Amino acid sequence: MNDWVKAKVVGRHQWSEGLFSLQFEAPIAPFQAGQYIKVALEIDGERIGRPYSLVNAPGDRPLEIFFNEVPEGPLTPPLSTLGPGDEVWLTPKAGGIFTLETVRPATDLWLLATGTGLGVYLSILRTAKPWRDFRRVILIHGVRQASDLAYAETLAGIARRQGEQFRFVPAVSREEAPGALRGRITDLLAEGRLESHLGVSIHPSTSHVMLCGNSAMIKDVKAILEERGLVRHRRHAPGHYTTEQYH
Ligand SMILES: Cc1cc2nc3c(=O)[nH]c(=O)nc-3n(C[C@H](O)[C@H](O)[C@H](O)COP(=O)(O)OP(=O)(O)OC[C@H]3O[C@@H](n4cnc5c(N)ncnc54)[C@H](O)[C@@H]3O)c2cc1C
């Protein structure tokens, strides 16, 4: 059973068709960048909750989530219609271990996201830890259409602040887009196009890789990483990659 607190929606942004961010004010406990909360609504007399990564840095408010509407899902269609003044339920404590807290410093931190998997990295990138513990931080955001490349201004701000320590590569699979690689993250990695574009390789001696998003990307990239000698990171058995599967 979850505990719940009432939260007020204080902001909403629609990035493209079916792609949204919502901001909340609510008294939740301190959390670590990379963790998620559950968001719930009363639907037909039942409280339906789903986990969402927090996009804001732990010290920043309002709380923020980034999600896409799944038309056949019970929660996201009504969630996407909410606006300032509406109320939702949140779990008062964030959870999850998709954080940098137990990861050993390395040369390169690779952050690979499909779709709304980008959000969790924004929280991490808004803290000091990645910039202190890694020489380079490389973010790859895979989407189908260029219109799904959300948070461009936030990413431009991070690039301005961090300079050459930060590399951002958008990857668009279904159309050509200026400044983006064409293709799925998995294919770009398997064909070597991603690393040759960056001039940086993923290697167990230099890299920690985080994977967030859909199950197909995570499964395929895991296989590529393991072939190259990277092993899953565990709290008590440090390794080279960590995953957070949204669906
Ligand atoms: C730890 C964790 C953190 C998560 N954080 C986020 C987040 O930050 N942002 C986010 O958008 N989602 C996130 N999710 C997924 C989210 O919890 C919901 O599953 C999703 O928003 C759909 O909710 P729903 O109730 O409408 O449909 P559900 O009943 O949850 O799902 C209906 C169907 O749609 C599939 N599905 C779920 N999510 C998606 C999706 N994004 N795109 C396409 N198909 C999907 C499911 O596999 C299922 O088959 C997270 C999931 C987990 C486990």
mmCIF file of all heavy atoms in Angstrom, residues 10 32 44 58 73 78 82 91 94 103 117 119 132 140-141 145 159 177 179 184 188 200 223:
data_model
loop_
_atom_site.group_PDB
_atom_site.id
_atom_site.type_symbol
_atom_site.label_atom_id
_atom_site.label_comp_id
_atom_site.label_asym_id
_atom_site.label_seq_id
_atom_site.Cartn_x
_atom_site.Cartn_y
_atom_site.Cartn_z
ATOM 1 N N VAL A 10 0.896 23.136 -10.752
ATOM 2 C CA VAL A 10 1.211 24.570 -10.852
ATOM 3 C C VAL A 10 1.756 24.942 -12.234
ATOM 4 O O VAL A 10 2.000 26.114 -12.513
ATOM 5 C CB VAL A 10 2.204 25.018 -9.746
ATOM 6 C CG1 VAL A 10 1.572 24.888 -8.368
ATOM 7 C CG2 VAL A 10 3.514 24.227 -9.827
ATOM 8 N N GLN A 32 16.960 11.742 -4.277
ATOM 9 C CA GLN A 32 18.207 11.804 -5.043
ATOM 10 C C GLN A 32 17.884 11.954 -6.531
ATOM 11 O O GLN A 32 16.904 11.352 -7.011
ATOM 12 C CB GLN A 32 19.008 10.509 -4.855
ATOM 13 C CG GLN A 32 19.521 10.348 -3.449
ATOM 14 C CD GLN A 32 20.177 8.984 -3.255
ATOM 15 O OE1 GLN A 32 20.049 8.079 -4.074
ATOM 16 N NE2 GLN A 32 20.883 8.857 -2.155
ATOM 17 N N ASP A 44 -12.810 6.478 -12.018
ATOM 18 C CA ASP A 44 -13.960 5.586 -11.790
ATOM 19 C C ASP A 44 -13.911 4.993 -10.381
ATOM 20 O O ASP A 44 -14.061 3.773 -10.201
ATOM 21 C CB ASP A 44 -13.989 4.453 -12.835
ATOM 22 C CG ASP A 44 -14.157 4.998 -14.245
ATOM 23 O OD1 ASP A 44 -14.767 6.078 -14.370
ATOM 24 O OD2 ASP A 44 -13.656 4.360 -15.199
ATOM 25 N N PRO A 58 17.066 17.788 -7.068
ATOM 26 C CA PRO A 58 16.510 17.580 -5.733
ATOM 27 C C PRO A 58 16.234 18.877 -4.965
ATOM 28 O O PRO A 58 15.239 18.968 -4.246
ATOM 29 C CB PRO A 58 17.594 16.747 -5.045
ATOM 30 C CG PRO A 58 18.203 15.962 -6.164
ATOM 31 C CD PRO A 58 18.206 16.893 -7.344
ATOM 32 N N GLY A 73 -3.806 3.604 -22.229
ATOM 33 C CA GLY A 73 -3.474 3.513 -20.804
ATOM 34 C C GLY A 73 -4.539 4.172 -19.956
ATOM 35 O O GLY A 73 -5.228 5.086 -20.408
ATOM 36 N N PRO A 78 -6.162 11.004 -18.879
ATOM 37 C CA PRO A 78 -6.655 12.082 -18.004
ATOM 38 C C PRO A 78 -5.525 12.968 -17.454
ATOM 39 O O PRO A 78 -5.700 14.169 -17.274
ATOM 40 C CB PRO A 78 -7.390 11.349 -16.870
ATOM 41 C CG PRO A 78 -6.957 9.934 -16.924
ATOM 42 C CD PRO A 78 -6.540 9.674 -18.352
ATOM 43 N N LEU A 82 -4.737 17.748 -17.397
ATOM 44 C CA LEU A 82 -4.688 18.574 -16.187
ATOM 45 C C LEU A 82 -3.971 19.893 -16.457
ATOM 46 O O LEU A 82 -3.130 19.990 -17.349
ATOM 47 C CB LEU A 82 -3.963 17.834 -15.062
ATOM 48 C CG LEU A 82 -4.579 16.514 -14.605
ATOM 49 C CD1 LEU A 82 -3.786 15.960 -13.425
ATOM 50 C CD2 LEU A 82 -6.043 16.693 -14.223
ATOM 51 N N THR A 91 3.151 9.966 -4.209
ATOM 52 C CA THR A 91 3.767 9.290 -3.065
ATOM 53 C C THR A 91 4.742 10.283 -2.413
ATOM 54 O O THR A 91 5.471 10.984 -3.109
ATOM 55 C CB THR A 91 4.544 8.039 -3.522
ATOM 56 O OG1 THR A 91 5.304 8.356 -4.692
ATOM 57 C CG2 THR A 91 3.600 6.899 -3.838
ATOM 58 N N ALA A 94 10.249 9.546 -2.746
ATOM 59 C CA ALA A 94 10.710 9.042 -4.048
ATOM 60 C C ALA A 94 11.465 7.737 -3.822
ATOM 61 O O ALA A 94 11.982 7.480 -2.728
ATOM 62 C CB ALA A 94 11.600 10.072 -4.712
ATOM 63 N N VAL A 103 27.812 4.863 -8.135
ATOM 64 C CA VAL A 103 28.619 4.654 -9.353
ATOM 65 C C VAL A 103 30.020 5.228 -9.147
ATOM 66 O O VAL A 103 30.174 6.332 -8.636
ATOM 67 C CB VAL A 103 27.919 5.337 -10.559
ATOM 68 C CG1 VAL A 103 28.832 5.374 -11.773
ATOM 69 C CG2 VAL A 103 26.620 4.621 -10.889
ATOM 70 N N GLY A 117 12.384 9.103 -21.430
ATOM 71 C CA GLY A 117 13.539 8.708 -20.616
ATOM 72 C C GLY A 117 14.549 9.832 -20.456
ATOM 73 O O GLY A 117 15.416 9.791 -19.581
ATOM 74 N N GLY A 119 13.926 12.709 -19.221
ATOM 75 C CA GLY A 119 13.635 13.505 -18.024
ATOM 76 C C GLY A 119 14.527 13.190 -16.838
ATOM 77 O O GLY A 119 15.007 14.085 -16.146
ATOM 78 N N ARG A 132 31.522 16.593 -11.450
ATOM 79 C CA ARG A 132 32.655 16.366 -10.534
ATOM 80 C C ARG A 132 33.290 15.001 -10.790
ATOM 81 O O ARG A 132 34.494 14.844 -10.731
ATOM 82 C CB ARG A 132 32.101 16.418 -9.107
ATOM 83 C CG ARG A 132 33.083 16.841 -8.048
ATOM 84 C CD ARG A 132 32.394 17.049 -6.725
ATOM 85 N NE ARG A 132 31.486 15.969 -6.358
ATOM 86 C CZ ARG A 132 30.321 16.145 -5.758
ATOM 87 N NH1 ARG A 132 29.904 17.343 -5.440
ATOM 88 N NH2 ARG A 132 29.552 15.113 -5.460
ATOM 89 N N ILE A 140 22.555 11.085 -25.096
ATOM 90 C CA ILE A 140 21.965 10.722 -26.387
ATOM 91 C C ILE A 140 20.455 10.628 -26.198
ATOM 92 O O ILE A 140 19.990 9.876 -25.332
ATOM 93 C CB ILE A 140 22.473 9.336 -26.891
ATOM 94 C CG1 ILE A 140 23.970 9.141 -26.636
ATOM 95 C CG2 ILE A 140 22.102 9.117 -28.350
ATOM 96 C CD1 ILE A 140 24.877 10.065 -27.351
ATOM 97 N N HIS A 141 19.688 11.372 -26.986
ATOM 98 C CA HIS A 141 18.225 11.339 -26.870
ATOM 99 C C HIS A 141 17.630 10.813 -28.170
ATOM 100 O O HIS A 141 17.710 11.479 -29.204
ATOM 101 C CB HIS A 141 17.694 12.745 -26.561
ATOM 102 C CG HIS A 141 16.223 12.766 -26.272
ATOM 103 N ND1 HIS A 141 15.458 13.907 -26.367
ATOM 104 C CD2 HIS A 141 15.369 11.779 -25.880
ATOM 105 C CE1 HIS A 141 14.204 13.610 -26.050
ATOM 106 N NE2 HIS A 141 14.126 12.333 -25.749
ATOM 107 N N GLN A 145 10.318 11.503 -34.036
ATOM 108 C CA GLN A 145 10.212 12.738 -34.824
ATOM 109 C C GLN A 145 10.958 13.878 -34.137
ATOM 110 O O GLN A 145 11.000 13.922 -32.900
ATOM 111 C CB GLN A 145 8.751 13.169 -34.951
ATOM 112 C CG GLN A 145 8.040 12.523 -36.113
ATOM 113 C CD GLN A 145 6.957 11.577 -35.671
ATOM 114 O OE1 GLN A 145 6.513 11.655 -34.523
ATOM 115 N NE2 GLN A 145 6.543 10.687 -36.536
ATOM 116 N N ALA A 159 24.651 23.068 -21.826
ATOM 117 C CA ALA A 159 25.808 23.120 -22.740
ATOM 118 C C ALA A 159 26.589 24.420 -22.533
ATOM 119 O O ALA A 159 27.827 24.408 -22.525
ATOM 120 C CB ALA A 159 25.324 22.997 -24.183
ATOM 121 N N ALA A 177 16.665 15.416 -39.495
ATOM 122 C CA ALA A 177 16.459 16.617 -38.682
ATOM 123 C C ALA A 177 17.800 17.325 -38.543
ATOM 124 O O ALA A 177 18.811 16.668 -38.286
ATOM 125 C CB ALA A 177 15.915 16.231 -37.307
ATOM 126 N N GLY A 179 21.023 18.875 -37.283
ATOM 127 C CA GLY A 179 21.765 18.747 -36.023
ATOM 128 C C GLY A 179 21.581 17.408 -35.336
ATOM 129 O O GLY A 179 22.145 17.174 -34.269
ATOM 130 N N ARG A 184 17.928 4.826 -35.080
ATOM 131 C CA ARG A 184 17.666 4.410 -33.702
ATOM 132 C C ARG A 184 18.986 4.310 -32.954
ATOM 133 O O ARG A 184 20.027 3.970 -33.548
ATOM 134 C CB ARG A 184 16.966 3.051 -33.687
ATOM 135 C CG ARG A 184 15.563 3.075 -34.280
ATOM 136 C CD ARG A 184 15.061 1.687 -34.613
ATOM 137 N NE ARG A 184 15.014 0.830 -33.435
ATOM 138 C CZ ARG A 184 15.576 -0.365 -33.357
ATOM 139 N NH1 ARG A 184 16.266 -0.864 -34.370
ATOM 140 N NH2 ARG A 184 15.481 -1.074 -32.257
ATOM 141 N N LEU A 188 22.648 3.022 -34.345
ATOM 142 C CA LEU A 188 23.783 3.957 -34.373
ATOM 143 C C LEU A 188 24.965 3.393 -33.601
ATOM 144 O O LEU A 188 26.123 3.567 -33.984
ATOM 145 C CB LEU A 188 23.359 5.309 -33.768
ATOM 146 C CG LEU A 188 22.331 6.096 -34.588
ATOM 147 C CD1 LEU A 188 21.806 7.283 -33.792
ATOM 148 C CD2 LEU A 188 22.946 6.576 -35.902
ATOM 149 N N VAL A 200 34.502 9.350 -29.578
ATOM 150 C CA VAL A 200 34.663 8.756 -28.247
ATOM 151 C C VAL A 200 34.097 7.336 -28.306
ATOM 152 O O VAL A 200 33.057 7.131 -28.935
ATOM 153 C CB VAL A 200 33.859 9.540 -27.169
ATOM 154 C CG1 VAL A 200 34.113 8.965 -25.780
ATOM 155 C CG2 VAL A 200 34.187 11.026 -27.190
ATOM 156 N N ALA A 223 22.945 -5.884 -24.780
ATOM 157 C CA ALA A 223 23.658 -6.960 -25.494
ATOM 158 C C ALA A 223 24.930 -6.405 -26.137
ATOM 159 O O ALA A 223 25.994 -7.042 -26.075
ATOM 160 C CB ALA A 223 22.742 -7.583 -26.545
#
